[in-house]
Amino acid sequence: MSAAKPLWKTFLRFLVPLMLSNALQSLFGTVSNVYLGQMIGIDALAAVSAFFPVMFFLFAFVMGLSTGATVLIGQAFGAGEHGTIRSVVGTTLAVGMLLSISIALVGGVFSRQLMIALATPTDILDQASAYARIMMLTVPLGFVFLLMTAMIRGVGDSLTPLLALALSIAIGLILTPMLISGSFGLPALGITSPTWAAAISNSLTLIVLAVYLRRTKHALAPDAALLRHLRLDRAVLGKILGIGLPSAIGMVAMAIAELVLLGLVNGFGSKATAAYGAINQVMGYTQFTAMSISITVSILGAQAVGGGDRTRLDGIVRTGLAFSLLLTGGLVALIYLAPRAVLGLFITDGAVLDLAKELLFIALWSSVPFGMATVFSGAMRAAGVALTPMLLAIFAIVAIELPSAVVLSRAIGLEGVWAAYPIVFCAMFVLQMGYYLLVWRKRAIRRLI
């Protein structure tokens, strides 16, 4: 990074490709579901949905692993220690490959038993088991792709992961319908088509990415020096997991809380459930924006920690807060200006649309304090402090969000469930900001690696 360049420009140059990457991933998931629903049928969508809990836990772990690795890579990059970067990359890939190969072996054999244990309806059990088997057999490719693209961001490069993701998605979107229909001489693979398409696209993209990184002499190029570090370094792994596991646990805790809230919403009938689904789709985009800003703070902050520049870290936090207000707040304001048009993309029933609009007005603005809370937690994570921010977040969920949702749903009805969102996100903002300003900021920062 150039010291002469204004911080907001550096921030924005990293943030925009990151946000586009998140948008592309969401688009790919949506289009894949459209392919399955339109070309095979509703049972295919149900079968894929049955595997979602397993997929979420796998995703939470790999995201936690990549978060820990990215922070350490950012610190090493900020300190100019390229040998240390290779050590982190090698250890991360080694543990990711060992774990994913184990998942592939176990999942390939016991996928049907797993889907039975998840109480998958018998009419879709065969399809769900077939999908789960191929999904888990191809997990190693997905893990390596996700880890590599995430770790590249650690050296301040968010454009290369965007281009890699765009290539992978383009290949996947072309292959999926061809494999579903069995056109151009390809086998008709039915419900497993998206997983095979993803495996092929990840493989081809990883080859292209490796060639590109070597030609550009990128810090993460898979050269002989990096391959020598492809092993488990216990000291490095401990530091990766020290940051990554709290991040993964935080994701799981929020997901469990969402299941509890969904249970409360379901008690108000199918219209309430339909409105819940649509509102979560809309809030997902505002929260994606907020999380992208948090990741940017974490990576740029890690580089500042690596360089021992506390002043720059403070500036990154201020810039992150400003972008949270501007981008997340701006997106929220745009949605508030035309809520029916936005919700109408997901809902056609007039009564459900009216209900969703009313509930959206209660909850949507809370994406702004949520985003600002994640700026503070992202800054602390940049210095390797992940446990306390995670505990504060879980405290807010368990002691504030869930009790508020239960009590208010009984007192004022469905609106009470949605009121729990602004309550908990404001609480998270106060807790994270309070700990950052009153405790963490008074401590000396030291890089971990």
Side-chain angles (χ1 to χ4, degrees):
M1 292 182 297
S2 172
K5 183 175 292 185
L7 182 53
W8 69 268
K9 287 187 177 181
T10 301
F11 199 101
L12 193 61
R13 190 176 67 175
F14 186 92
L15 176 63
V16 170
L18 182 59
M19 290 176 62
L20 289 174
S21 296
N22 286 331
L24 277 178
Q25 286 178 315
S26 298
L27 177 65
F28 179 64
T30 301
V31 175
S32 292
N33 285 339
V34 170
Y35 281 153
L36 287 174
Q38 295 293 325
M39 299 181 72
I40 300 180
I42 196 68
D43 283 352
L45 283 178
V48 170
S49 299
F51 185 70
F52 178 77
V54 180
M55 177 54 64
F56 178 82
F57 277 94
L58 294 177
F59 180 77
F61 178 81
V62 76
M63 288 303 294
L65 191 62
S66 67
T67 298
T70 302
V71 167
L72 294 183
I73 289 168
Q75 290 190 5
F77 182 75
E81 297 187 0
H82 290 270
T84 305
I85 292 175
R86 294 189 186 97
S87 180
V88 175
V89 173
T91 298
T92 304
L93 289 177
V95 70
M97 290 169 69
L98 284 173
L99 181 72
S100 60
I101 290 170
S102 301
I103 291 169
L105 293 174
V106 174
V109 175
F110 298 106
S111 56
R112 187 175 183 87
Q113 291 84 342
L114 175 63
M115 298 316 293
I116 291 172
L118 290 171
T120 305
T122 54
D123 59 329
I124 61 170
L125 179 60
D126 288 342
Q127 289 192 78
S129 299
Y131 180 85
R133 181 176 296 109
I134 305 305
M135 197 75 193
M136 297 178 85
L137 283 172
T138 58
V139 152
L141 287 168
F143 266 34
V144 172
F145 182 80
L146 285 172
L147 289 173
M148 277 303 299
T149 51
M151 290 190 293
I152 289 170
R153 295 189 183 105
V155 297
D157 178 8
S158 61
L159 181 59
T160 299
L162 171 63
L163 296 176
L165 184 64
L167 176 61
S168 178
I169 287 175
I171 296 170
L173 291 179
I174 293 168
L175 278 179
T176 300
M178 292 169 62
L179 291 173
I180 291 174
S181 62
S183 56
F184 297 98
L186 294 174
L189 299 178
I191 191 172
T192 62
S193 298
T195 57
W196 282 115
I200 294 168
S201 64
N202 284 341
S203 300
L204 294 175
T205 305
L206 281 170
I207 293 170
V208 173
L209 182 61
V211 172
Y212 172 79
L213 293 177
R214 285 179 65 89
R215 284 188 175 178
T216 57
K217 296 183 173 17
H218 197 279
L220 270 67
D223 53 18
L226 179 62
L227 293 177
R228 283 196 296 271
H229 286 88
L230 192 61
R231 54 185 169 77
L232 290 179
D233 183 318
R234 289 188 179 182
V236 173
L237 180 59
K239 292 171 182 176
I240 292 171
L241 295 179
I243 302 169
L245 283 181
S247 301
I249 292 168
M251 286 180 63
V252 172
M254 291 190 73
I256 293 172
E258 280 298 316
L259 290 177
V260 174
L261 293 181
L262 177 57
L264 292 174
V265 169
N266 288 342
F268 290 93
S270 59
K271 285 185 170 59
T273 304
Y276 172 90
I279 296 169
N280 264 7
Q281 289 277 347
V282 175
M283 289 188 67
Y285 283 97
T286 59
Q287 290 176 3
F288 269 145
T289 304
M291 291 305 298
S292 296
I293 294 168
S294 174
I295 292 169
T296 303
V297 168
S298 185
I299 292 173
L300 297 184
Q303 294 176 11
V305 170
D309 192 345
R310 184 60 179 263
T311 302
R312 186 170 182 82
L313 179 60
D314 291 339
I316 289 167
V317 171
R318 289 192 296 270
T319 305
L321 293 173
F323 273 110
S324 284
L325 287 171
L326 182 65
L327 297 181
T328 309
L331 183 56
V332 166
L334 286 174
I335 295 170
Y336 272 134
L337 289 174
R340 290 183 69 86
V342 175
L343 289 167
L345 297 172
F346 310 99
I347 303 172
T348 54
D349 184 283
V352 176
L353 188 57
D354 289 337
L355 176 62
K357 177 187 172 184
E358 178 185 345
L359 299 174
L360 184 72
F361 269 72
I362 295 172
L364 182 62
W365 66 270
S366 64
S367 295
V368 178
F370 167 78
M372 297 175 78
T374 63
V375 166
F376 290 114
S377 61
M380 290 185 280
R381 188 168 59 243
V385 178
L387 181 60
T388 302
M390 180 270 287
L391 292 175
L392 291 174
I394 291 179
F395 171 79
I397 291 168
V398 173
I400 299 174
E401 180 182 27
L402 297 182
S404 297
V406 171
V407 171
L408 291 174
S409 66
R410 292 173 179 172
I412 61 176
L414 180 60
E415 291 84 356
V417 179
W418 288 97
Y421 283 97
I423 290 172
V424 72
F425 289 154
C426 287
M428 283 183 181
F429 172 56
V430 171
L431 288 170
Q432 300 287 1
M433 180 177 64
Y435 184 76
Y436 175 87
L437 292 176
L438 300 178
V439 180
W440 184 83
R441 196 167 178 273
K442 296 179 180 179
R443 296 176 178 172
I445 59 167
R446 297 182 182 88
R447 60 189 178 95
L448 298 176
I449 199 162

